[in-house]
Amino acid sequence: MRILFPLAALVLMAGCVPPGAPPAAEEVPPPTLRPVPFRPTPAAPIADWRDLPRTPGDWQYRGLGGGSAATYGVRGAAPLATLTCDRAAGQVTLSFASLRPAAGTVTVRTTSTQRTLKVQPMAGGVGVALPASDRLLDAIGFSRGRFVVEGAPVGRLVLPAWAEVLRVTEDCRR
């Protein structure tokens, strides 16, 4: 047994020899980068008007002597849309800012209704007067989150269906 122990010690010690230096790596040239032409990805068309981004601004309500009004736009700038109640006439006027005020048509889209309206030139834009009982006014006020007004005279306005719209309508129905 005495002879086996020194032999085993030699075998174990042979495994403790440090490894040699690694083989020299070959020089590999860096990869060449080829320029790739920039191709912007076109914006995906929006299939549903309810996914359109909202036109910047807020609704502002104010009482008037013979009714009320709600204006939509950025504070400090001219309003983009206005609903005005004329209580004596029992009608609500929808008016929209326009760079080219001329007679034409606009389409109003809500979650429950789509209607084309004939608009006439008014101060600062175009507009149409509707009877206060017109169900389009209810459809605008109860639309899920937003409604859209679009046509040549106004472009496209994506407006929120906030309480101010219904408040003006209700003011005219009293």
Side-chain angles (χ1 to χ4, degrees):
M1 278 246 190
R2 274 184 135 174
I3 297 176
L4 288 177
F5 180 71
L7 185 60
L10 284 175
V11 170
L12 287 174
M13 289 176 70
C16 293
V17 174
E26 293 182 28
E27 289 261 338
V28 178
T32 57
L33 301 176
R34 282 181 263 143
V36 177
F38 176 71
R39 291 187 189 119
T41 55
I46 297 175
D48 191 343
W49 63 267
R50 290 169 287 205
D51 296 329
L52 293 169
R54 188 176 64 128
T55 302
D58 292 307
W59 283 106
Q60 304 287 317
Y61 173 87
R62 71 181 187 280
L64 303 173
S68 60
T71 57
Y72 185 85
V74 177
R75 289 183 192 255
L80 300 173
T82 304
L83 278 79
T84 308
C85 162
D86 181 350
R87 196 174 296 133
Q91 59 183 250
V92 175
T93 302
L94 304 173
S95 58
F96 309 100
S98 176
L99 295 176
R100 291 169 267 125
T105 60
V106 296
T107 301
V108 178
R109 286 187 176 82
T110 72
T111 52
S112 64
T113 302
Q114 176 177 320
R115 190 187 305 171
T116 300
L117 302 171
K118 292 182 181 182
V119 293
Q120 299 298 320
M122 303 179 100
V126 295
V128 61
L130 300 172
S133 61
D134 194 313
R135 292 295 164 207
L136 178 61
L137 298 169
D138 294 313
I140 290 171
F142 289 112
S143 190
R144 291 187 184 139
R146 63 186 63 210
F147 64 98
V148 175
V149 179
E150 59 188 340
V154 299
R156 179 186 291 154
L157 298 171
V158 181
L159 306 172
W162 290 352
E164 290 82 353
V165 173
L166 289 174
R167 191 167 176 194
V168 169
T169 301
E170 287 303 312
D171 286 347
C172 268
R173 291 180 177 169
R174 293 183 187 168

